[in-house]
Structures are given as structure tokens and as C-alpha cells.
């Protein structure tokens, strides 16, 4: 395809909000700058029509690094004996929210490993507490796979959103990343339960995880088209020194940006973060993500003492641009590229 044909097909993708597998595959792996820059510009244009130049922020509170699962890629997997484990209690979570609210955060994301300490009752108390204190804020949970009943109780207590990446939609690839105790079927089932219960649902996948091929990424996009999530989080796979994948190669920046732009064109309304992993892979990863069509950033609002312990991958960024207390720095960096951080719940625009 020549330049003109590429441009026409990208514009067609933006119009149809869909494309054939072969073209998606070509775009995912494309490294020609004249194609990728047109792709990112088109995605940024679609984003600006709906969201202007606003960037939504979420305060990420990493409530626990205990996990009963043993995903091969993840630094907080059960078998990692090198890690000091922690979870934070109700009062500490509320203190994080207090600090976050003062900084202008209107969404709090409680994320953690699958930790039995957080029973339904405990979580319901936490959610009710946050909602009572900050009724104008959204509460997002990202606590892995739970039962439908549990998701219902948490939603009834006031949880608004739930993030659960499907990680990979390909059965064979899923098996390369997870032990036999976990199943793709259950992961997907959880996502559909969450939707059915009225959560705004977020899903997504890692880019460049071991064994991944472009066909898997196309399957990921097709799965997302079925799910129609409100939020889509992707980020590069990054190795962690105390996991079986310690020697594996990290995900590719261009591929992450290409996929961010493709997601924006397939799902114009979606809330798409420029993730911490992207910011860890490249010092300007956040900005590059926004310029390719992302519209959310999730600075770290966890207590300082635990940030390094929530160690999903090597060298996780959490103290510079990534830190909630350095919001001014983030604001400046966003202004420099023509975007602005806003104080709002940051819901999907209709
Ligand atoms: N336990 C919850 C769950 O399973 O959804 C939330 C916590 S989990 C650690 C959050 C996300 O971190 C996962 O969905 C995964 O995509 C990402 N993650 C874990 N290890 C990673 C790695 N080595 N590189 C990049 N992302 C990773």
C-alpha cells in the first residue's frame, strides 16, 4: 500500500469504527513514521471531538500486594518470596482519599492482588465510607476475580466502576501466561457479570507479553468489540526480576501507541489511560499515549511507604510524574503538549 492508500484506509477505519483483520494487523505492527503519525493524529482528532483537550485523572490506591494467584508475569504473584507483603486498612484508605480530594481527584481506584483480607463486608464498609465522605467522587475497584454475589454487594455499596483486564483473549496464549488454577472463561464471565450488574467496566491487555503474536492482539480487539467496555487499559509487558518471565523482552513502545490509536478509532467514547507501565517504558510515555488518543492518567495516591512494594514489574514509576502529590508537574507536562488536567469524575461522554 502506498501512503495515500494507507491514509484512506485509516480514515475509513475512523468512519466505520471497524476494519478487516488484515488491515488491523498491518497497523498494529506498522513502524513507518508517515503512517503512524497520521494514525495518531486521526485518533487524537476523534478524541478531541468528544473530550476536547481534557485529561481525566484517577487517584490510584494500591491497597494490597498479597495475591492468591500465580500469574507468571506479575511481580506480586503468590510464589514471589522476595517481596514484603502489605495491605492497608480502612482508615489509611480514607486518608489517601482525603489527600487525593484536596489535590483535585474525583475518582479513586482501589487496586490490589486477590487478597482474602478484603472480605465483602470489609470492602462494603470502605466503599460506603468513601461515598459518605466524598459523594461527588466515583469509586473504581480493581481487585480481580470475585463471585457475582460479591460484585453485586460491592456495587450495591456504591462502587461505580470495575477494572479487570482480560489480559489476552486467546485461549492458548492465556495458558502461556497463567497457571491451570485460572481460566480465561472465568475472567470473561466476570466481565460480563460486572456489566450486567451495572458497573462501568474496564478491560484490556498487556502488549508484548511472552508468546503474544499480532493475531492475538486482533483477537483482543474483537473480544473488546463484544464486551463494549467503558474503559480500556493497555500497557507494555515489563519483566519483573522475581518471576518466571524475568528474562523476557519488554513490550514495544510503537506497538503500544499504535494500539492506543486503534482503540480510540474502534471505541471513540472509551476512557483510555496512558498507563504507568507506558510511563515506565519511556520517560515521555504518558504524553505519547495522550497524543495517540488516550484521555486518562492514573497518578499514584498510595501511601509512600508501600509504593515500591506494589511491584508488578521492574523499576515501576511511582514517585515522579506518576505521583499524585506531583500533580502540578503532570499538569505542566500536559499543558506543554496542549492538553489540560481537569477536576471531575471523568465519566464517559454520551
Ligand atoms: N488483581 C487484579 C487483577 O487481576 O485484575 C488487579 C491487580 S493486577 C496486578 C493489575 C494489572 O497489572 C494486570 O491486569 C496486568 O495486566 C498488569 N500487570 C501485571 N504484571 C505486569 C507486568 N509484568 N507488566 C505489565 N503489566 C503487568
Amino acid at each position: 500500500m502506498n501512503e495515500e492508500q494507507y491514509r484512506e484506509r485509516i480514515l475509513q477505519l475512523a468512519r466505520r469504527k471497524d476494519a478487516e483483520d488484515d488491515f488491523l494487523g498491518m497497523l498494529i505492527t506498522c513502524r513507518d513514521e508517515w503512517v503512524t503519525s497520521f494514525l495518531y493524529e486521526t485518533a487524537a482528532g476523534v478524541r478531541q471531538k468528544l473530550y476536547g483537550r481534557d485529561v481525566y485523572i484517577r487517584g490510584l490506591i494500591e491497597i494490597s500486594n498479597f495475591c492468591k494467584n500465580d500469574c507468571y508475569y506479575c511481580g506480586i504473584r503468590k510464589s514471589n518470596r522476595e517481596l514484603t507483603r502489605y495491605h492497608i486498612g480502612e482508615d489509611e484508605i480514607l486518608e489517601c482519599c482525603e489527600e487525593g480530594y484536596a489535590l483535585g481527584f474525583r475518582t479513586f481506584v482501589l487496586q490490589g492482588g486477590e487478597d482474602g483480607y478484603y472480605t465483602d463486608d470489609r470492602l462494603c464498609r470502605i466503599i460506603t465510607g468513601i461515598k459518605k465522605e466524598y459523594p461527588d467522587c466515583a469509586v473504581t475497584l480493581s481487585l480481580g476475580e470475585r463471585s457475582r454475589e460479591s460484585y453485586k454487594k460491592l456495587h450495591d455499596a456504591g462502587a461505580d466502576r470495575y477494572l479487570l483486564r482480560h489480559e489476552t483473549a486467546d485461549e492458548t496464549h492465556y495458558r502461556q501466561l497463567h497457571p491451570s488454577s485460572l481460566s480465561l472463561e472465568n475472567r470473561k464471565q466476570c466481565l460480563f457479570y460486572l456489566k450486567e450488574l451495572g458497573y462501568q467496566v474496564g478491560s484490556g491487555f498487556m502488549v508484548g507479553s511472552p508468546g503474544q503474536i499480532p493475531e492475538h492482539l486482533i483477537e483482543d480487539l474483537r473480544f473488546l468489540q463484544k464486551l463494549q467496555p467503558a474503559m480500556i487499559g493497555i500497557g507494555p509487558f515489563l519483566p519483573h526480576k522475581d518471576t518466571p518471565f524475568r528474562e523476557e523482552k519488554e513490550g514495544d513502545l510503537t506497538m503500544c501507541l499504535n494500539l492506543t490509536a486503534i482503540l480510540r478509532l474502534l471505541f471513540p467514547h472509551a476512557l483510555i489511560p496512558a498507563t504507568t507501565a507506558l510511563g515506565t517504558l519511556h520517560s515521555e510515555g504518558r504524553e505519547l499515549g495522550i497524543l495517540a488518543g488516550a484521555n486518562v492518567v492514573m497518578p499514584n495516591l498510595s501511601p509512600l511507604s508501600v509504593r515500591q512494594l506494589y511491584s508488578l514489574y521492574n523499576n515501576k514509576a511511582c514517585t515522579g510524574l506518576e505521583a499524585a502529590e506531583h500533580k502540578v508537574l503532570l499538569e505542566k507536562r500536559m499543558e506543554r503538549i496542549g492538553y489540560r488536567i481537569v477536576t471531575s469524575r471523568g465519566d464517559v461522554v454520551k
Side-chain angles (χ1 to χ4, degrees):
M1 260 199 284
N2 63 28
E3 186 167 352
E4 209 36 57
Q5 287 164 325
Y6 256 114
R7 280 173 184 261
E8 187 40 49
R9 295 282 302 267
I10 290 170
L11 292 174
Q12 194 183 54
L13 160 59
R15 274 195 308 275
R16 284 177 47 205
K17 305 177 189 67
D18 204 359
E20 283 74 36
D21 285 0
D22 61 344
F23 186 60
L24 290 176
M26 280 160 82
L27 281 186
I28 289 169
T29 52
C30 185
R31 309 197 72 84
D32 293 321
E33 245 184 78
W34 48 269
V35 178
T36 55
S37 53
F38 187 71
L39 175 65
Y40 305 159
E41 271 166 37
T42 310
V46 167
R47 170 224 197 283
Q48 278 165 29
K49 259 193 207 138
L50 292 165
Y51 290 97
R53 288 179 167 269
D54 290 355
V55 176
Y56 295 149
I57 48 169
R58 316 316 193 182
L60 178 64
I61 309 174
E62 298 156 332
I63 65 173
S64 170
N65 71 355
F66 281 94
C67 192
K68 68 178 170 63
N69 295 330
D70 226 3
C71 308
Y72 304 142
Y73 47 85
C74 186
I76 64 168
R77 66 198 299 268
K78 178 178 69 181
S79 297
N80 181 3
R81 311 252 176 266
E82 302 302 314
L83 193 62
T84 306
R85 303 281 172 169
Y86 76 89
H87 35 222
I88 58 176
E90 297 161 53
D91 291 346
E92 236 179 324
I93 293 175
L94 275 171
E95 280 167 26
C96 294
C97 295
E98 189 182 347
E99 188 191 332
Y101 194 87
L103 286 166
F105 289 88
R106 295 295 178 268
T107 290
F108 302 116
V109 182
L110 311 189
Q111 189 180 86
E114 293 193 18
D115 176 357
Y117 173 78
Y118 295 100
T119 58
D120 291 343
D121 284 349
R122 178 167 271 133
L123 281 173
C124 285
R125 270 201 311 275
I126 293 170
I127 296 161
T128 316
I130 299 175
K131 282 292 195 176
K132 185 166 158 254
E133 211 56 47
Y134 309 103
D136 53 336
C137 291
V139 172
T140 304
L141 303 177
S142 179
L143 301 169
E145 296 172 34
R146 302 176 75 94
S147 66
R148 189 181 188 284
E149 296 71 53
S150 169
Y151 288 146
K152 179 163 177 10
K153 282 186 195 158
L154 305 180
H155 189 251
D156 290 346
D160 304 276
R161 307 179 184 141
Y162 205 102
L163 305 177
L164 186 76
R165 289 182 176 180
H166 64 277
E167 312 296 1
T168 173
D170 183 86
E171 187 61 53
T172 312
H173 187 220
Y174 187 90
R175 289 269 64 90
Q176 288 176 262
L177 303 179
H178 303 94
S180 57
S181 51
L182 293 168
S183 82
L184 178 57
E185 195 188 346
N186 193 58
R187 193 94 180 160
K188 287 181 174 173
Q189 180 61 262
C190 286
L191 284 162
F192 287 105
Y193 283 153
L194 289 162
K195 252 201 118 166
E196 204 175 284
L197 289 165
Y199 283 91
Q200 292 166 43
V201 173
S203 195
F205 51 88
M206 284 176 290
V207 178
S209 56
Q212 187 180 62
I213 53 174
E215 284 73 13
H216 296 153
L217 291 164
I218 296 170
E219 275 184 76
D220 289 322
L221 300 177
R222 297 302 178 207
F223 171 69
L224 292 172
Q225 285 179 317
K226 272 197 213 110
L227 181 68
Q228 288 295 324
M231 303 161 288
I232 306 173
I234 64 163
F237 159 76
L238 297 169
H240 185 289
K241 64 179 178 44
D242 300 313
T243 65
F245 289 162
R246 60 179 68 82
E247 301 293 345
E248 299 287 340
K249 210 168 101 236
E250 64 192 17
D252 174 72
L253 177 69
T254 305
M255 203 183 274
C256 288
L257 298 175
N258 293 0
L259 277 157
T260 301
I262 294 168
L263 286 169
R264 174 59 64 205
L265 298 180
L266 293 175
F267 306 95
H269 292 264
L271 297 161
I272 301 177
T275 52
T276 307
L278 195 60
T280 303
L281 180 67
H282 188 284
S283 59
E284 290 185 2
R286 300 279 207 197
E287 289 97 320
L288 294 170
I290 297 291
L291 289 168
N295 58 344
V296 174
V297 285
M298 297 170 65
N300 198 317
L301 198 52
S302 309
L304 270 172
S305 57
V306 305
R307 281 190 201 169
Q308 288 298 346
L309 298 177
Y310 194 76
S311 156
L312 307 184
Y313 39 77
N314 297 337
N315 311 316
K316 187 189 79 167
C318 62
T319 48
L321 195 61
E322 262 56 38
E325 63 276 17
H326 296 151
K327 188 178 151 233
V328 177
L329 192 64
L330 184 65
E331 275 164 352
K332 283 213 180 92
R333 299 264 293 252
M334 290 297 136
E335 272 165 27
R336 217 183 295 156
I337 58 163
Y339 287 81
R340 65 166 178 271
I341 300 282
V342 293
T343 296
S344 96
R345 271 177 52 119
D347 284 301
V348 168
V349 298
K350 294 291 170 211

